[in-house]
Amino acid sequence: MGYFDAASAAPLHPVARQALLASLDDGWADPARLYREGRRARILLDAAREAMAEAVGCRPDETVFTSSGTRAVHTGIAGVSAGRRRVGRHLIVSAVEHSSVLHSAETFEAEGGTVTRVPVLRTGAVAVESYADALRPDTALACLQSANHEVGTEQPVAAVAELCREAGVPLLVDAAQSLGWGPVEGPWSVLTASAHKWGGPSGVGVLAVRKGVRFAVQGPVDERESGRAAGFENLPAIVAAAASLRAVRAEAAAEAVRLRALTARIRARVGAVVPDVEVVGDPLRRLPGIVTFSCLYVDGEALLHELDREGFSVSSGSSCTSSTLTPSHVLKAMGVLSEGNVRVSLPMGVAEEDVERFLAVLPGAVAGVREKLGAPVAVADAAVRGDALVVDALGKRCPIPVIELAKVIGEVPVGGTVRVLSDDEAARLDIPAWCEMREQEYVGEEPADRGSAFVVRRLS
């Protein structure tokens, strides 16, 4: 099995399937009713809540189930920011949060609030002092993911949570990617997660709000889930989510060791067997099963299709795989190469043989995509002006501007410059990343009649 996209959705755990089928027979009634069938459903719901709370590290009455992890995030941010409106209208998020957090931040701004977006290091991690600097007297809420969904980098949640506690500011932790591996450390205030990330069924989110956190439910309220998640509970899926999390946690310690060895093998081998590759993310403080790399001169979507034909399912943060043709906000915030990006996220139980087969297939897939791209612009299309050269890549998308730059850099003398004209948003990230990889100097971006001119000085 070549399914290597567990960070998007993990395969359904066998325990989840068993619990789901069993609870379809016993958990179909309304758990709010007092008759026999309702009482039986309530017992299942209460047991699932207790199991989930134990795994999260909070009280059962602090835990509610939502229709998704995204819904949990939206509800958590809206509820806490409204509950603390008297404190102020300032929200802190990291630049690499999941889109659900960033969309909530945009809504918060549209409603009159202010948002501080904390930058990250090139590894994808925030600096603890950056959160300390961002805290203000009017800060209603701070948000920080436990680990990044695209590159696997773990965040210093415990340290940031302690800072927030001392400042009297609640911290919301998006633990979607990490909860299957263990509880989130530190004095966090709000936590969200999604069952399909650890092998539970889709359509089950978790929202934990610790006692003492001011919370005002937004929108219509009913009696379900403490008023924080309206509507009839999907009881069979909730039972399966809690059962699978307990099962996954029982396997996590041993499986983490195995997956770390496999991802370390990928990180080491990719750079050895494929030229012009940048492996991104923190090499040590990262989730066990995720490894992400970017390939120069490769169209990300084309590479994903090539790997799919070879039987491997992977994902990408490349701008080429997005309908908006903009780079991944995570890769952009990190300042790393976005073109030809591949995220490999191994599911629990993955076979070592499948990883070896992937490493055997990858060089040919990358080479094939590069060969198909060919030489998009001949040297004659580059205008030489003394020790400067202008490449017109307007209207061309990644990775073409970088390919054209690479082909003509040798046409200018050492110390000379190449100006790449491009109107592709990805060029703003990928040309500086190319310069760092190839030890050339990125001079900067200049305005142009169309798009921008990205200036590179040849150093060698």
Side-chain angles (χ1 to χ4, degrees), residues 383-390 408-419 443 455-459:
V384 180
R385 300 173 183 171
D387 63 350
L389 183 149
V390 178
V408 301
I409 190 71
E411 299 299 312
V412 298
V414 173
T417 61
V418 177
R419 299 175 78 248
V443 177
V455 183
V456 176
R457 177 174 287 110
R458 182 182 175 191
L459 299 182

Side-chain angles (χ1 to χ4, degrees), residues 414-430:
V414 173
T417 61
V418 177
R419 299 175 78 248
V420 182
L421 304 178
S422 176
D423 51 7
D424 179 17
E425 175 68 19
R428 186 167 285 111
L429 178 62
D430 289 347

Side-chain angles (χ1 to χ4, degrees), residues 62-78:
E62 296 173 330
T63 307
V64 300
F65 296 103
T66 66
S67 59
S68 67
T70 293
R71 173 53 57 193
V73 166
H74 291 173
T75 301
I77 293 177

Side-chain angles (χ1 to χ4, degrees), residues 32-282:
R33 301 305 174 204
L34 298 179
Y35 43 70
R36 180 177 59 253
E37 294 85 357
R39 294 196 304 273
R40 186 181 301 136
R42 168 57 66 178
I43 290 172
L44 289 175
L45 180 58
D46 288 347
R49 197 183 312 280
E50 290 176 5
M52 187 62 67
E54 181 183 2
V56 169
C58 63
R59 292 167 36 165
D61 59 354
E62 296 173 330
T63 307
V64 300
F65 296 103
T66 66
S67 59
S68 67
T70 293
R71 173 53 57 193
V73 166
H74 291 173
T75 301
I77 293 177
V80 176
S81 59
R84 288 174 49 83
R85 183 182 293 269
R86 291 184 179 180
V87 173
R89 296 285 289 157
H90 176 235
L91 175 68
I92 302 172
V93 300
S94 84
V96 295
E97 294 296 311
H98 187 269
S99 59
S100 60
V101 174
L102 299 183
H103 291 160
S104 289
E106 291 168 2
T107 298
F108 185 82
E109 278 183 314
E111 294 174 348
T114 59
V115 178
T116 297
R117 295 170 175 84
V118 176
V120 297
L121 306 172
R122 193 172 176 84
T123 61
V126 301
V128 176
E129 53 268 24
S130 296
Y131 264 76
D133 294 341
L135 288 168
R136 304 185 335 202
D138 64 338
T139 302
L141 175 66
C143 302
L144 180 62
Q145 60 191 192
S146 55
N148 187 259
H149 50 290
E150 287 193 26
V151 300
T153 297
E154 294 178 328
Q155 300 290 359
V157 171
V160 171
E162 186 61 36
L163 280 175
C164 290
R165 186 191 64 79
E166 293 173 358
V169 174
L171 177 70
L172 182 148
V173 179
D174 170 17
Q177 289 296 336
S178 72
L179 195 60
W181 297 107
V184 176
E185 301 296 331
W188 52 266
S189 302
V190 184
L191 182 143
T192 64
S194 187
H196 73 281
K197 300 292 188 180
W198 65 69
S202 58
V204 179
V206 179
L207 171 62
V209 182
R210 291 201 188 278
K211 295 295 182 182
V213 177
R214 295 187 64 85
F215 193 99
V217 178
Q218 302 300 287
V221 178
D222 66 17
E223 70 280 4
R224 306 282 176 175
E225 295 301 302
S226 304
R228 294 174 180 172
F232 201 100
E233 297 94 344
N234 185 352
L235 185 53
I238 288 171
V239 171
S244 58
L245 181 55
R246 177 175 287 178
V248 164
R249 284 282 190 85
E251 307 163 354
E255 188 64 5
V257 172
R258 198 178 72 88
L259 290 188
R260 286 190 188 281
L262 291 176
T263 52
R265 185 183 308 179
I266 296 173
R267 290 178 68 90
R269 290 268 295 280
V270 162
V273 300
V274 180
D276 296 316
V277 166
E278 181 179 17
V279 182
V280 302
D282 195 296

Side-chain angles (χ1 to χ4, degrees), residues 8-29:
S8 293
L12 192 67
H13 195 281
V15 169
R17 182 183 299 276
Q18 295 166 7
L20 185 64
L21 294 175
S23 56
L24 285 173
D25 293 330
D26 293 331
W28 52 268

